[in-house]
Amino acid sequence: MAFAPMGPEASFFGVLEQHRASLLATLRRRGPEPAGGGTHVASSSDVLASIENIIQDIITSLARNEAPAFTIDNRSSWENIKFEDSVGLQMISHCTTRKIKSDSPKSVKNFALILKILSMIYKLVQSNTYATKRDIYYTDSQLFGNQTVVDNIINDISCMLKVPRRCLHILSTSKGLIAGNLKYIEEDGTKVTCSCATAIAVPSNIQGIRNLITDAKFLLIVEKDATFQRLLDDNFCSKISPCIMVTGKGVPDLNTRLLVKKLWDTFHTPIFTLVDADPHGIEIMCIYKYGSKSMSFEAHNLTVPAIRWLGLLPSDIKRLNIPKDTLIPLTKQDQMKLDSILKRPYITCQPFWRKEMEIMADSKMKAEIQALTFLSSDYLSRVYLPNKLKFGGWI
């Protein structure tokens, strides 16, 4: 074994083992994952050729006395999204597009910025070097204005070239953390051994990590860093060992999502989410499980539909007699978010999720995971999570 388990006796994991067997049976029935639309891992020469083709089109337009334009898939429209239970939200193959024109006052700056970043990407790929999104922003922070402009353009370029962002040789600094039963080797040969006592940063180049080893019985995705740190302080990882814990510190960054996907593809270990019983927490869980509208073009590399909702369930609030004065009224924005999620295509295949969200909508109240501390300061790690994991309290 890779690690010496220190957790509960083997019988504790009985229901978890049954759940894993069920997940594996589903995978076998479905067969190999379809190599659908969206992005594909491309070689450096493919990326360079794609960029050269785009530049050639610009030159051709100029030679014809026409204003060059970039044609980019519209990533913000639900009309361009289809849902498959085995993949999640993905962009349809013939979707509506938008033009970034060089002769339009509204889009000429964006056209120039795309061209500038394409030039940087070409140099990075050609020289086999990498840069972070932050590096690119600081090459001319006054020109770009803010980091979000750079982030959106890089995603547009990735979508336009139909390749994952990592093939563009652009990395992002990870904000996520990982702890527990996991070893791996980074691209530069550094050996990493995760610990149950302290967390380490999620690697910035997930594609480059190799030789992953774990005995984990499950992976727990924790929405908030504060909850993640509390579980570490309570020695949850050691007491329910072997397991892995990950947090994206709120809405997950790309690296955290890529890591969760890589762990699923490598080990097919059951994955659970621990989020607040509010629309924002549910949204975050949906991003890990089914993906997001804006990154639907890369769904095959990011989504893990096998993820299950462990807690905090709205039905748990009543079941555990959590007092009303620890609950928070839903705001107007919360209600709009909840209505939006309930209308999404994946909710039709999640009747138990719908029921939980309807409980929240009817009560007009939400709860943070910290509400469990009313029952006892360590109720989450000592009672709530162990019982949920032992008796299959997920949906």
Side-chain angles (χ1 to χ4, degrees):
M1 292 186 102
F3 304 81
M6 301 176 290
E9 57 190 47
S11 61
F12 176 90
F13 297 111
V15 178
L16 269 170
E17 294 287 7
Q18 289 171 23
H19 176 53
R20 183 169 188 267
S22 171
L23 293 173
L24 291 173
T26 302
L27 282 174
R28 283 193 292 271
R29 281 196 303 273
R30 283 181 177 155
E33 185 181 279
T39 63
H40 64 283
V41 177
S43 68
S44 294
S45 56
D46 289 338
V47 175
L48 294 174
S50 296
I51 295 173
E52 287 162 8
N53 289 338
I54 288 170
I55 302 304
Q56 186 61 55
D57 289 343
I58 291 172
I59 293 167
T60 303
S61 295
L62 291 169
R64 291 175 180 163
N65 256 352
E66 297 170 357
F70 294 117
T71 302
I72 296 172
D73 292 339
N74 190 347
R75 297 187 292 118
S76 62
S77 171
W78 279 104
E79 292 175 8
N80 287 337
I81 309 297
K82 67 176 179 178
F83 170 70
E84 277 184 35
D85 190 29
S86 62
V87 180
L89 300 175
Q90 55 183 326
M91 192 169 270
I92 59 176
S93 49
H94 301 291
C95 60
T96 58
T97 58
R98 57 193 172 93
K99 292 269 188 187
I100 310 290
K101 298 178 179 178
S102 60
D103 63 345
S104 163
K106 284 184 180 178
S107 62
V108 63
K109 183 180 179 182
N110 208 22
F111 180 91
L113 294 181
I114 292 172
L115 203 56
K116 181 177 177 67
I117 293 178
L118 270 173
S119 166
M120 292 180 185
I121 290 168
Y122 191 90
K123 288 172 186 170
L124 288 170
V125 176
Q126 196 175 43
S127 61
N128 195 28
T129 53
Y130 288 82
T132 65
K133 292 188 297 181
R134 204 78 181 139
D135 293 335
I136 288 173
Y137 168 67
Y138 278 117
T139 59
D140 200 332
S141 58
Q142 281 192 315
L143 176 66
F144 291 122
N146 62 66
Q147 184 69 54
T148 305
V149 171
V150 173
D151 296 354
N152 286 334
I153 287 173
I154 289 166
N155 286 338
D156 279 339
I157 290 172
S158 176
C159 187
M160 182 167 62
L161 299 180
K162 298 286 188 289
V163 296
R165 193 177 70 196
R166 58 190 179 277
C167 292
L168 306 178
H169 284 229
I170 294 174
L171 306 172
S172 57
T173 306
S174 299
K175 67 168 183 162
L177 298 172
I178 184 165
N181 187 287
L182 181 67
K183 292 180 181 179
Y184 57 86
I185 298 175
E186 292 192 332
E187 190 176 34
D188 64 1
T190 304
K191 292 181 179 178
V192 177
T193 301
C194 298
S195 149
C196 288
T198 54
I200 62 168
V202 167
S204 59
N205 188 358
I206 302 299
Q207 187 188 20
I209 67 173
R210 61 189 192 277
N211 293 25
L212 289 86
I213 302 170
T214 186
D215 297 321
K217 299 291 186 182
F218 65 94
L219 189 161
L220 181 66
I221 298 169
V222 183
E223 175 193 352
K224 296 191 300 194
D225 185 37
T227 308
F228 181 87
Q229 297 297 342
R230 179 58 198 259
L231 289 173
L232 284 180
D233 292 343
D234 287 352
N235 288 319
F236 172 77
C237 229
S238 298
K239 290 171 184 171
I240 313 295
S241 178
C243 70
I244 297 170
M245 289 201 315
V246 170
T247 181
K249 297 183 180 179
V251 177
D253 60 349
L254 201 65
N255 291 330
T256 304
R257 293 176 63 192
L258 285 166
L259 176 66
V260 170
K261 171 69 170 172
K262 183 152 193 157
L263 290 170
W264 166 250
D265 286 346
T266 307
F267 302 111
H268 295 129
T269 301
I271 303 177
F272 304 104
T273 53
L274 177 65
V275 299
D276 286 338
D278 66 11
H280 185 66
I282 294 169
E283 173 83 284
I284 286 169
M285 173 175 61
C286 291
I287 290 171
Y288 282 107
K289 184 176 174 76
Y290 290 129
S292 61
K293 186 171 59 174
S294 63
M295 293 298 290
S296 57
F297 65 93
E298 207 176 332
H300 284 270
N301 302 316
L302 293 171
T303 61
V304 185
I307 286 172
R308 297 293 183 264
W309 186 2
L310 190 66
L312 180 67
L313 303 180
S315 59
D316 290 336
I317 295 167
K318 185 177 180 181
R319 181 176 63 84
L320 297 172
N321 291 318
I322 296 172
K324 280 196 171 180
D325 59 6
T326 65
L327 307 181
I328 307 163
L330 289 177
T331 64
K332 203 168 189 177
Q333 287 85 354
D334 287 331
Q335 289 172 332
M336 287 169 63
K337 171 69 76 179
L338 196 57
D339 290 342
S340 164
I341 296 170
L342 282 164
K343 290 173 186 168
R344 292 183 192 169
Y346 44 71
I347 296 301
T348 54
C349 68
Q350 291 291 347
F352 294 112
W353 284 27
R354 175 178 286 278
K355 188 176 178 183
E356 292 293 334
M357 283 186 263
E358 286 170 351
I359 290 170
M360 188 189 300
D362 292 343
S363 71
K364 295 184 168 55
M365 303 296 277
K366 60 184 179 180
E368 296 184 331
I369 295 162
Q370 285 84 342
L372 294 174
T373 57
F374 169 82
L375 301 168
S376 76
S377 61
D378 61 350
Y379 189 85
L380 175 66
S381 61
R382 183 175 55 84
V383 180
Y384 183 80
L385 289 176
N387 282 345
K388 285 261 183 175
L389 292 162
K390 184 173 183 178
F391 299 110
W394 54 78
I395 56 174

